[in-house]
Amino acid sequence: MSLQRITTTVNEASVSAEVEPRTLLVHFLREQAGMTGTHVGCDTSQCGACTVRMDGRTVKSCTVLAVHAHAHRITTIEGLSSPDALTPLQQAFSDLHALQCGFCTPGMVFAAQALLDRVPDPTEAQVRDALHGNLCRCTGYQNIVDAVMLAARRIRDEAAPVASTLAGEVQ
């Protein structure tokens, strides 16, 4: 089988490699880009452990061919925050022990972040619905849901002084 050369941006760095056309994005990320935070869980897109962002949209990288990532931007869990600071969502996962064994955590974080980007003040039912399609084999769902709700509150609280300052400037 002939190899195809792809170039993609992974966590703000250009990555080029030759891949077989049947190579899945998850395998490219782990084996050629060195991003081992992206996990291979079920290989059937049911568990969500392989979730990454592709051009800002969450995708399960076990359902995307690496050749389809050519000329696109990929964000893995390693690129979600800076090395010095966790995102509010990641910090909430840590604070509430929502990590369990950690295998599902990257997928859970990406699914939850996508929800918080769309719905900054989610209900618990919306959080549970957003996490549907991500499996935690440790069954630590309650702490994960609590962490997403905590992150939403913290993000709102951080934005509140700015919003009230702006409102005060308008009056």
Side-chain angles (χ1 to χ4, degrees):
M1 186 172 288
S2 65
L3 299 177
Q4 289 186 297
R5 182 149 199 86
I6 65 168
T7 299
T8 186
T9 302
V10 179
N11 301 332
E12 307 301 325
S14 180
V15 177
S16 293
E18 291 189 352
V19 298
E20 291 186 9
R22 65 181 181 181
T23 301
L24 295 175
L25 179 58
V26 66
H27 295 298
F28 167 76
L29 290 170
R30 289 182 58 81
E31 296 160 16
Q32 294 181 281
M35 300 298 144
T36 57
T38 304
H39 295 138
V40 180
C42 63
D43 257 343
T44 60
S45 80
Q46 295 179 15
C47 77
C50 65
T51 303
V52 298
R53 280 190 170 172
M54 187 166 151
D55 296 332
R57 291 184 40 235
T58 56
V59 298
K60 292 182 178 178
S61 61
C62 75
T63 63
V64 177
L65 294 172
V67 294
H68 290 149
H70 177 72
H72 290 277
R73 303 178 71 80
I74 308 297
T75 304
T76 68
I77 196 70
E78 291 93 340
L80 192 59
S81 62
S82 73
D84 302 327
L86 299 175
T87 67
L89 182 59
Q90 291 171 314
Q91 188 62 55
F93 266 66
S94 176
D95 292 347
L96 296 183
H97 309 289
L99 303 167
Q100 299 284 333
C101 80
F103 195 82
C104 70
T105 302
M108 292 288 186
V109 167
F110 276 113
Q113 189 63 58
L115 170 67
L116 295 178
D117 290 347
R118 291 187 328 270
V119 182
D121 190 15
T123 64
E124 185 173 323
Q126 288 172 311
V127 171
R128 290 184 182 280
D129 186 56
L131 297 177
H132 184 86
N134 291 76
L135 299 177
C136 170
R137 290 186 171 90
C138 302
T139 66
Y141 292 103
Q142 187 59 53
N143 285 6
I144 293 169
V145 170
D146 291 346
V148 176
M149 299 296 286
L150 175 62
R153 277 194 307 276
R154 286 178 174 170
I155 293 168
R156 282 194 313 270
D157 290 348
E158 284 180 16
V162 173
S164 53
T165 300
L166 291 175
E169 291 173 1
V170 172
Q171 294 175 355

